[in-house]
């Protein structure tokens, strides 16, 4: 049991180092943070990020099924406004989560405006990919009886890969926006 927990902590430590090196590469940061700082920063990101993501997903489903919301939707123009808000709220929560990640993950100070630009890019890609992925997963249910356990694992791994890819792509947008704003201010 002790060797398993030691192996798990080693995997976690290496994963933190890979994430740190990826963000440092994107941001051209030369130094790394001490492990204790990385651990506390990433733990806070790991705790806050999923809460915002799952809140966004769950809020949409539960809000639209509420009796109060259904009654409000029937009153115009409140119904149209509620429909737009319920469509935008998950996207806004995801943008908040991505902004939080982009401000705390790099080993440098990141301007809020740059983090917000990258979060909009990452959030839009994440939402779009999520819709495509959900459509794909729901349309492939006819094979679920035979391959369900294997398919779930494969789909999860693909989703995990795409999520990290989108996170790093958004980080590129943050870095570009941040560095471009910095270069512009130097030339003024």
């Amino acid at each position: 049991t002790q060797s398993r927990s030691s192996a798990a902590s080693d995997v976690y430590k290496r994963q933190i180092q890979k994430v740190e090196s990826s963000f440092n590469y994107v941001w051209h940061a030369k130094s790394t943070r001490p492990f204790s700082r990385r651990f506390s920063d990433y733990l806070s990101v790991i705790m806050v990020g999923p809460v915002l993501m799952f809140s966004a997903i769950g809020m949409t489903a539960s809000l639209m099924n509420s009796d109060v919301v259904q009654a409000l939707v029937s009153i115009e123009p409140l119904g149209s406004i509620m429909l737009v808000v319920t469509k935008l709220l998950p996207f806004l929560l995801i943008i908040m989560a991505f902004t939080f990640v982009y401000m705390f993950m790099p080993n440098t100070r990141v301007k809020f405006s740059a983090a917000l630009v990258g979060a909009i890019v990452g959030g839009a890609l994440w939402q779009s990919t999520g819709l495509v992925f959900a459509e794909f997963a729901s349309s492939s249910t006819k094979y679920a009886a035979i391959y369900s356990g294997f398919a779930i694992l494969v789909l999860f791994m693909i989703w995990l890969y795409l999520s990290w890819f989108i996170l790093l792509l958004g980080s590129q947008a943050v870095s570009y926006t941040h560095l471009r704003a910095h270069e512009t201010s130097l030339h003024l």
Side-chain angles (χ1 to χ4, degrees):
T1 305
Q2 188 174 0
S3 64
R4 285 184 186 164
S5 64
S6 175
S9 78
D10 286 345
V11 168
Y12 181 72
K13 185 176 178 179
R14 278 185 271 151
Q15 189 64 32
I16 286 176
Q17 289 170 341
K18 285 180 183 180
V19 170
E20 172 88 9
S21 66
S22 295
F23 273 86
N24 284 346
Y25 179 77
V26 168
W27 284 89
H28 308 288
K30 302 292 183 223
S31 63
T32 60
R33 299 175 220 188
F35 180 74
S36 60
R37 172 91 192 276
R38 277 184 282 177
F39 181 79
S40 66
D41 287 352
Y42 296 162
L43 188 61
S44 65
V45 167
I46 287 170
M47 302 283 273
V48 171
V51 168
L52 288 173
M53 297 289 193
F54 288 122
S55 295
I57 293 166
M59 206 178 282
T60 305
S62 64
L63 276 177
M64 289 312 289
N65 292 326
S66 168
D67 292 334
V68 174
V69 171
Q70 293 300 322
L72 290 174
V73 168
S74 65
I75 303 169
E76 282 302 324
L78 200 54
S80 298
I81 293 170
M82 289 289 293
L83 187 62
V84 169
V85 167
T86 56
K87 296 288 184 188
L88 287 179
L89 192 60
F91 183 64
L92 293 175
L93 288 172
I94 288 169
I95 287 174
M96 285 173 41
F98 274 74
T99 303
F100 181 78
V101 168
Y102 294 144
M103 289 197 64
F104 287 103
M105 290 292 276
N107 191 20
T108 186
R109 288 199 180 271
V110 178
K111 292 182 180 179
F112 177 77
S113 59
L116 186 61
V117 167
I120 291 170
V121 169
L125 286 171
W126 197 81
Q127 279 286 85
S128 302
T129 305
L131 292 172
V132 169
F133 196 75
E135 181 62 33
F136 173 75
S138 66
S139 69
S140 63
T141 57
K142 54 186 158 198
Y143 304 112
I146 300 170
Y147 301 110
S148 65
F150 181 68
I152 289 170
L153 179 63
V154 170
L155 289 175
F156 172 73
M157 296 303 282
I158 292 169
W159 176 246
L160 189 63
Y161 172 79
L162 289 174
S163 294
W164 277 109
F165 180 75
I166 290 168
L167 183 77
L168 290 173
L169 191 64
S171 180
Q172 288 280 357
V174 175
S175 175
Y176 177 79
T177 305
H178 182 81
L179 294 175
R180 190 78 165 147
H182 182 69
E183 287 175 2
T184 304
S185 68
L186 289 177
H187 293 296
L188 292 179

